[in-house]
Amino acid sequence: MGVAREYGHTISEGPTPADVAGAPALPYPSGWSALAFSHELRPGTVLTRPLAGRDVVLYRTGTGALRAVRPYCPHLGAHLGLAKVEGEDLTCPFHFFSFGPDGTCVRTGYGTPPPRSPLTQLPVHEVNGGVFVWRHQDGRDPDWSVPQWHEIGHRPARTAAWELAGNVQEVIENSVDLGHFATLHGWAKAEIGGPVAYDDAKFHVAMRAHESAPLMGDFTVDVKVDGYGLGCLHADVHTPRFGLRMCTMVMPTAIGPNRMQFRQLNRIAFDEPGRLPPGLARIVSRTAARLLDRPVFRSSCEFTAADFPIWHHKQYQQPPRLASGDGPIGPFRRWAKRFYPETPGRGALPLPHRSEGEDNAVLS
């Protein structure tokens, strides 16, 4: 920002954020979206989180049951983000109407018979340290899920969350945008280990990065990515030379037109040195994880955050004018269409532009 000398008023300058630059190029996608980390919802907690332009109220009962509901009490419309958990029930702050875990009204604040006015519950799925809520533009029930992945190491996961402009598809699309790993993230060389595999709501891609660093010389990083819908990525990262293993979950959530929240969860572990006795090897591995857990997580977040200014200001380019070296972006976009409305007039996407030979784009 700068100051106009004559009048002393603040003037605007610099790139305009995507959420104020114009109409969104993409509608909200259907599927599972992360609204919280599991550790944020201890028994008795009530949280309000945005999803696709509307509030969602999350709460956990005294025995640990997790629920997601529409935000307004069916009685007189009080916002349930101000409610309290009493045992297994959610109690409205206005007239103290209480609702059981199945959404049924079980009592009023005056001791009168409760009305037949249940809460509107939303499908909620807790897995891998994340809390996911299902949304479909046609109101369909979930027909796929985010699976349970392996957990590495012995230390608790580290988490971070941000809010910025941008759309969630481009976060997930980043995993096949091979070109940007060199230009934005500084990988000396990157190669995809074969065609990207698409299976209904899931895709899988493997790649190898070639790196070089002072005092360390050349080394490789092997990455395997599994994506589920347009709201969740799981990446297994292995640096064989140093024995470092890292599992990362990336979870973008559409909260408004061209605006998203972004959550990341990491766990690390180190291979046990084979040349040492088993007991000592385990101590060395766990000590390395304890000492390097924080700096590795910080480095992982910095790697991710390099994309933030791009997402925050960019527009969704459709069709893209692709070039050799980009990676298989076109096939990814054709797969991503399944998560949007199909009926013309409701935000249907045009067919992606296809570059010659793009379907077989495997770069080395």
Side-chain angles (χ1 to χ4, degrees):
M1 304 293 286
V3 176
R5 293 181 180 179
E6 185 176 358
Y7 300 107
H9 293 162
T10 299
I11 61 172
S12 297
E13 59 182 339
T16 302
D19 57 343
V20 298
L26 292 170
Y28 296 126
S30 296
W32 293 100
S33 297
L35 299 193
F37 297 111
S38 294
H39 66 77
E40 296 181 277
L41 280 155
R42 302 187 184 282
T45 301
V46 179
L47 293 178
T48 302
R49 293 287 163 82
L51 174 62
R54 301 178 68 179
D55 283 353
V56 174
V57 172
L58 302 168
Y59 69 97
R60 197 184 296 276
T61 71
T63 59
L66 182 65
R67 296 292 182 266
V69 297
R70 290 293 181 203
Y72 301 109
C73 179
H75 174 221
L76 281 174
H79 199 295
L80 295 172
L82 305 176
K84 294 182 179 180
V85 174
E86 298 180 331
E88 297 305 288
D89 302 332
L90 184 70
T91 299
C92 174
F94 197 11
H95 297 87
F96 295 176
F97 281 37
S98 294
F99 301 86
D102 64 352
T104 302
C105 187
V106 294
R107 62 181 176 275
T108 70
Y110 345 113
T112 53
R116 294 180 181 178
S117 299
L119 299 181
T120 301
Q121 295 189 319
L122 303 172
V124 61
H125 181 44
E126 184 174 20
V127 65
N128 306 312
V131 175
F132 296 84
V133 171
W134 173 267
R135 175 197 168 276
H136 195 284
Q137 69 263 4
D138 296 328
R140 299 178 192 171
D141 291 333
D143 53 9
W144 57 273
S145 64
V146 178
Q148 178 72 51
W149 289 302
H150 61 274
E151 292 186 4
I152 65 170
H154 67 287
R155 300 186 61 78
R158 289 186 176 272
T159 61
W162 302 268
E163 185 172 314
L164 64 155
N167 75 73
V168 298
Q169 179 180 313
E170 298 202 278
V171 175
I172 307 301
E173 184 177 294
N174 245 28
S175 59
V176 298
D177 182 355
L178 199 65
H180 96 288
F181 288 117
T183 58
L184 187 62
H185 296 293
W187 284 3
K189 180 183 177 183
E191 55 192 0
I192 290 183
V196 182
Y198 296 97
D199 181 14
D200 194 25
K202 173 186 175 181
F203 74 92
H204 174 83
V205 60
M207 65 184 72
R208 171 169 288 182
H210 299 263
E211 296 262 30
S212 182
L215 305 178
M216 298 181 183
D218 297 335
F219 59 94
T220 60
V221 181
D222 295 316
V223 184
K224 296 180 180 178
V225 176
D226 289 290
Y228 289 85
L230 298 180
C232 186
L233 286 178
H234 178 263
D236 273 312
V237 181
H238 184 213
T239 308
R241 181 174 172 185
F242 309 119
L244 171 62
R245 296 183 182 273
M246 180 172 66
C247 284
T248 300
M249 274 215 308
V250 172
M251 298 165 284
T253 297
I255 63 171
N258 285 339
R259 192 158 188 86
M260 62 180 169
Q261 290 181 345
F262 184 100
R263 293 177 173 83
Q264 180 170 320
L265 179 151
N266 284 44
R267 291 185 173 90
I268 71 164
F270 281 86
D271 297 335
E272 296 181 4
R275 64 184 180 278
L276 298 178
L280 181 57
R282 185 176 303 109
I283 292 174
V284 170
S285 170
R286 292 196 170 200
T287 300
R290 177 174 57 82
L291 294 176
L292 295 175
D293 190 19
R294 184 184 296 273
V296 169
F297 180 61
R298 184 185 305 117
S299 177
S300 176
C301 289
E302 289 173 353
F303 184 92
T304 303
D307 288 284
F308 287 178
I310 307 298
W311 294 331
H312 188 69
H313 298 103
K314 79 184 300 295
Q315 69 174 4
Y316 181 77
Q317 189 70 26
Q318 182 62 32
R321 304 305 181 188
L322 299 174
S324 177
D326 284 332
I329 294 173
F332 176 89
R333 289 198 174 185
R334 290 192 287 278
W335 169 80
K337 286 176 58 184
R338 70 187 57 228
F339 302 105
Y340 297 106
E342 297 179 357
T343 304
R346 289 196 303 158
L349 296 177
L351 287 174
H353 172 75
R354 301 174 71 135
S355 293
E356 185 177 352
E358 182 189 335
D359 283 322
N360 298 316
V362 179
L363 308 182
S364 60

